[in-house]
Amino acid sequence: MFLNLVESKGTPDSDKFIRQSLIVYQEDLGEFLKELQKSLDFIKQNTKQK
């Protein structure tokens, strides 16, 4: 089991796409989620409310 995060975006100068992939394996998922939560908490604390 693994988590596969994929981004595909067009290039500004042509019709080509850039595809990037991040794979998180099951044994690393707990640590990945812990660090992701830290990042989300930081964003919430440092985002100005409108």
Side-chain angles (χ1 to χ4, degrees):
M1 296 282 266
F2 59 89
L3 173 65
N4 188 11
L5 302 170
V6 179
E7 173 190 47
S8 181
K9 61 182 177 180
T11 57
D13 299 332
S14 69
D15 292 337
K16 295 182 181 180
F17 283 82
I18 297 173
R19 184 174 187 269
Q20 300 180 82
S21 179
L22 172 69
I23 299 173
V24 182
Y25 294 98
Q26 185 174 4
E27 60 268 20
D28 300 320
L29 193 56
E31 187 68 23
F32 174 80
L33 292 174
K34 184 174 87 174
E35 296 302 321
L36 177 61
Q37 187 60 56
K38 282 182 180 178
S39 298
L40 294 173
D41 292 343
F42 178 85
I43 291 169
K44 286 178 188 177
Q45 291 176 0
N46 294 283
T47 301
K48 293 182 179 177
Q49 297 294 326
K50 291 184 179 183

